[in-house]
Amino acid sequence: MKNEILWDCHMHSSFSADSSTLMEDMILKAVSLGLKGICFTEHLDPDYPVVPEPEQPDFSLDIPSYQNTLNDLKEKYRGALDIRFGIELGLQPHLGNFFAELEKAYPFDFVIGSSHIVHGADPYYPEFFHGRKESDCYMEYFESILENLTFFSEMDVYGHIDYIVRYGPNKNSEYTYRRYQDILDEILRALISKNVGIELNTGGFHYGLGGPNPCTDIIRRYREFGGEIVTVGADAHAPHNIAHSFDKAADILRECGFRYYTVFKERKAEFLPL
């Protein structure tokens, strides 16, 4: 019998601008699912652009309040669930020094670096794609990942590498690893050279992509290049998505040549068998 993935290492609560769920409600759901541990990775996206919404989202993060609440709940649920302190940094090239200093100031267990903003715009909004070829938008996104890595690489994993396909006009109907192989291979080699892992983000399943972010072929290629660090997270912003499609995630990792997945504690990798 194969082991299940018992850690969800990418989730958000009301400390993130795009979630309204209390942290304790996320914990209670994780306990009910029989998970061994979770890591909250609340959003911090400094210099978030003005967006076409009636109310501008605030992707700042009150880290002291977040940390204190997590520590209180960690103690409350000690013995029932291992709860770890993480963060998801919204990368942009000019923020490299800011993030480097931030990491010195707080004892994070786990740091995800993610590309949400591409040259001052968020592809979550359809305006990013207006009047442009979808393939050009995707290429610009991947190019921005390389730019970010030039200025900052002190994260544990790079989050949802093909995040943009969640929001493209045709999502992943015309998207494949092969179509963007040259730049994706360059990204994967850069990550491995900097000892930065990737995540298998099952959010792609609940965004209707039929697979994870990044797609399975990228995960396989990362392994072929010798990549070893792969965390698993559902990118849940509400309890019902915690550990979403983790049975599929385990199968994908095996298919790609992994016999383990990774969790982090005090920024150190732990490898757990599948």
Side-chain angles (χ1 to χ4, degrees):
M1 178 185 295
K2 64 185 181 183
N3 295 329
E4 297 176 323
I5 293 172
L6 297 176
W7 280 81
D8 191 331
C9 291
H10 188 153
M11 69 172 59
H12 303 276
S13 74
S14 56
F15 282 100
S16 293
D18 52 0
S19 174
S20 59
T21 304
L22 295 176
M23 185 178 282
E24 188 163 17
D25 289 342
M26 300 294 279
I27 292 169
L28 289 169
K29 180 64 174 180
V31 171
S32 76
L33 291 171
L35 295 184
K36 180 177 180 181
I38 60 174
C39 186
F40 284 96
T41 52
E42 304 294 359
H43 284 297
L44 175 60
D45 280 73
D47 200 14
Y48 189 78
V50 175
V51 300
E53 281 192 356
E55 185 173 339
Q56 177 74 12
D58 180 6
F59 278 100
S60 61
L61 176 60
D62 183 347
I63 299 178
S65 180
Y66 162 40
Q67 182 182 17
N68 290 336
T69 300
L70 185 144
N71 285 340
D72 289 345
L73 291 168
K74 183 174 183 176
E75 184 61 32
K76 181 176 180 178
Y77 289 94
R78 185 176 300 277
L81 188 71
D82 193 339
I83 302 168
R84 295 186 181 173
F85 179 42
I87 193 167
E88 183 178 10
L89 303 177
L91 303 179
Q92 297 186 65
H94 65 284
L95 298 173
N97 289 337
F98 173 79
F99 286 144
E101 292 303 313
L102 181 80
E103 288 184 352
K104 295 175 185 176
Y106 293 97
F108 297 114
D109 287 303
F110 179 46
V111 176
I112 301 174
S114 293
S115 290
H116 299 131
I117 307 304
V118 184
H119 303 137
D122 188 342
Y124 172 84
Y125 296 97
E127 288 75 9
F128 181 81
F129 298 91
H130 281 176
R132 306 174 64 197
K133 290 176 61 177
E134 189 172 25
S135 59
D136 290 343
C137 295
Y138 287 8
M139 182 60 76
E140 183 184 5
Y141 179 83
F142 295 134
E143 289 169 349
S144 77
I145 291 177
L146 288 174
E147 292 169 9
N148 287 332
L149 286 170
T150 299
F151 292 95
F152 181 77
S153 59
E154 300 305 313
M155 71 286 284
D156 300 310
V157 303
Y158 213 104
H160 44 51
I161 289 171
D162 54 11
Y163 158 91
I164 192 172
V165 303
R166 294 180 181 178
Y167 307 111
N170 296 294
K171 293 199 172 183
N172 62 347
S173 64
E174 300 174 7
Y175 161 74
T176 64
Y177 155 72
R178 292 294 178 190
R179 188 169 185 178
Y180 303 92
Q181 179 174 352
D182 289 348
I183 191 164
L184 288 168
D185 284 357
E186 189 175 354
I187 290 169
L188 295 176
R189 290 190 182 100
L191 292 172
I192 291 168
S193 72
K194 296 173 184 294
N195 199 36
V196 177
I198 65 171
E199 68 164 350
L200 189 162
N201 185 310
T202 62
F205 287 103
H206 59 79
Y207 279 93
L209 301 179
N213 295 114
C215 65
T216 299
D217 284 344
I218 293 176
I219 298 169
R220 180 182 296 110
R221 189 64 161 168
Y222 171 75
R223 185 66 183 135
E224 289 172 354
F225 282 157
E228 297 181 344
I229 300 167
V230 57
T231 60
V232 182
D235 209 347
H237 291 66
H240 66 276
N241 279 329
I242 293 174
H244 188 282
S245 296
F246 270 24
D247 55 339
K248 297 175 183 176
D251 290 340
I252 289 169
L253 287 178
R254 290 191 188 88
E255 176 189 332
C256 292
F258 289 93
R259 295 295 175 264
Y260 55 84
Y261 64 106
T262 314
V263 300
F264 280 83
K265 183 176 183 179
E266 297 176 352
R267 307 295 306 280
K268 294 180 175 61
E270 304 173 340
F271 298 94
L272 305 179
L274 290 167

